[in-house]
Amino acid sequence: MWSFSWYSGPVEQAFEAKYPFLKLKVVDLSTELEGRVQEEYKAKRYNVDVIEIPVRRMLRLVESGIIQEYPFPNWPNTWPDQPKHNFFRQHILSWYAPVYNTTQITAAEAPKTWDDLANARWVGKSITTISAADAFIGHTYMNGDLTAAGVNWDKTTALWKKIQDTAKPSIGAGFKAPLDLVVAGDRALMLMATNTITNNLLRRGAPVAYAPFKQVPAAAFSIGLAKNPPNSNAAQLLIDFITSEVGIAVRADTFPTATLHPEAAKRAYDNQFLKAQGIQIAMPPIEFLNEQMMLKGDEVWIKDILKR
Amino acid sequence: MAAVTRSGPRFSFFTTRNIILVLVAAFVILLAIIPLFFLLWNSFKDVSGGRVADFGLGNFSLTNFVQAYASPQTFLYLGNTFYFAIGTMVVALVFGGVIAFLVERTNTPLRNVIYGLMFIPLIMPGMLKAIAWVLLLSPRVGILNKLWFSLGFTDPLFNAYSMPAMWWVEGLSMSPLVFFMLGAALRAMDPSLEEAAYTAGANRVTTLFRVTFRLMLPALASVSLLMFVRGLESLEVPLIMGSGEGIMVYATQIYFALKVFTPPKYGEAYVFSIVMLALAFLGVFLYQRVMSRSERCVTVTGKGYRPRLMNLGKWRPLMAVFVLFFLFVAFILPFLVLAWVSLLPYLQLPSAAALANVSLKNYADLFNRYDFPIVMKNTAILAAAVGVGGMLLALIISWMVIRLKPKGVRFLDTAAFLPMAVPSIALAFSFMVLFLRLPIPIYGTIWILVLAHLIKYLPMATRFTHTGLSQIHRELEDAAASSGASFVAVQRRILIPLLLPSLVSGGLYILMLTVKVFSIAAVLYTPDTMVFSVYVYQLWDRGGANEVGALAVVMVVFLTALTIVARKLTQGRGMQIAG
């Protein structure tokens, strides 16, 4: 299995416990995944059985003919947030919110709305990340500007430009290093952190907390069966396991993140956290997404707003 | 009329020596040129949609160049890149050079300890090293600034997010290479020339500048070139300490093109790389100009010599304190930060409250991971193969370039240097594309990792062997050859023993880079060939800085011990055998 963002351990153990005659090997790749799999397929070298990747990248693999249709018996496409076809399922998600260091900012002082981020009191104390374009695209959807007809970038762009101009955050790369600087106290507030890394830090007792926003943007991860998989039967067993209620619960808990599986969501930690805090997630429907729009989102976030 | 016949041995091109040389040259040129071709070709192609390459004969365009250079900021970044590389080079040269001189040419105490400590910055994972320095130099919470504030000052003394801080951190990281290269050269230097200067009435300063420096010219040229090119492609420090405040360099632009945009903008990254390549070419040109006069710098001849150490006299303990203090601040302090981090569940500055969280859990978790032994085994194979294979290959290339000098040898020399300026990820993709199609079954094995790392670090390996070899007069080999020694015997019994310090230092250096650098392995690894660098990255990305800290501490301790052992084994060997 090839995964864009794998947290090893429990899923392998659970899968191998269920199928002791199978060994799950995970190639955990970052942005190199697409390039590598595309070149392997061009050379007719089929090394991969199952691919798990952010949905915007999965769309491209489908377009390249690398993913095959599969019925996903444990996860019909009639369930919410699923594509109408059978190339993949959206199974887990990342959501994005401001996160602050609780030793430097009290709950009362923490920002409560996105507009609160556009405040001069964060000058020298805040950090954002160049890697948050997906969050920005989700934010346009949250603002009602991303529809099936297209995107009006203006409102969300204006908000983030105002935040940039007022809070003057430092600009990091990725989500890990900037949040580590917040944990260490070098910065007090990360304007757009991801739930998976924050949840991991919270589990370790790090002094961070989500800003209490009522609605936050999100982006889905997806799972699909590769075309010509070298271990076809085992690949199907793995997909069936991960998309089962038990499997997805383990996967979501390990990441740790929320799941889109309706039954597993009833007990997944992150789903329950969102519910308890009354946080709504805004995830653009799959049919709203296309490559041109997402490329534009990258450009606006990185070049227009962050000026990088 | 009687036929005239020539007597004497018949000339044959197909000698063992020539076959070895031709094979090595072909191997190096082929594998070094491929990434360059890959880079140049695809910089003129519209590689979009996540594809890394397009080898079709159509669709050439300048789109990548236009996109990369449309913004005037790009030229500002070029200035920053140059400024950063130069500053880094200067810090590394000063720091590494002074320590090398003290260790190799004076009787400073604790030289073996200093030698071992010099490897610490090499193995510290880049991201974590940059964060460790932020924890030390941050204007808000930096440990050193807090000490400063405790003295009553209100403005921070250091600013981690500034160009001088970036020079300092990156320069220190690179100083081991300066130390090892200049150290090997200093060890090989014939002190009779300096003694002649003293006899002629020159004082120590005059001798240092007019004799020692001149003799060191090839080594200085080599190491300056390497520092400069390495400075051009350094990523972690500019990314963590510079980009947040707008100090952007080309390496960060390449990183953004590859890692931030979806799909990655490979074409744009290739174009940025070409500028770095052009700067590297310029460096190679200047370097070759210097090296063309390297005969003047030959110091080891057939005549016996004995390197002598400068007696520091009453300054000896003071100098030791100075060096150790400097090493403490430069290397041990960030390592202590790393060790501290490895004992905690998350990043915390030292405090009584943090002390309550200290445990060995990260180490226990690390050793209990089922894949840890596999990773260590793969890493050992990879590192040993690259370290030994790289230096042997480099020795043969240097011998051709410096001794044999056949027609077109500059092309080989330049080809062997080119991979230095090709970004690791482009090199890895080019190897991936090549070996996916060649009927050589190494794709997916540890050997493709060996090959890719070997080619990537060949430029550094050859700088070590070039420098060492240019200081050994060929009369030693000529004498052996005229006594009937074969080419292989000359290498094995004359050159390798004489060059042993350079070979060991170079081998250790490329071994450590191989262990640490992530970009190549990230593209070419499989679950069965997982190595340390990928493991570190995954732990870092998924778990936290703390597990990485534990892993890094383990590796630093292991590799420091390895270097001290290597140093012990080569002490009294090498150049000194002539005495």
Side-chain angles (χ1 to χ4, degrees), chain B residues 115 119 122 176-177 180-181 184 187 383 386-388 390-392 394 457 460-465 499-514:
Chain B
Y115 192 89
F119 274 96
L122 276 183
L177 179 58
F180 295 123
M181 287 190 70
R187 223 176 303 162
V386 173
V388 175
M391 293 317 292
L392 283 178
Y457 299 125
M460 288 170 208
T462 51
R463 291 322 100 174
F464 277 90
T465 47
L499 285 170
L500 203 60
S502 291
L503 293 175
V504 169
S505 294
L508 285 171
Y509 186 74
I510 61 172
L511 176 153
M512 291 196 187
L513 286 178
T514 301

Side-chain angles (χ1 to χ4, degrees), chain B residues 64 145 148 266 302 316 486 552:
Chain B
N64 298 323
N145 277 323
W148 180 249
Y266 290 112
R316 195 167 173 255
S486 69

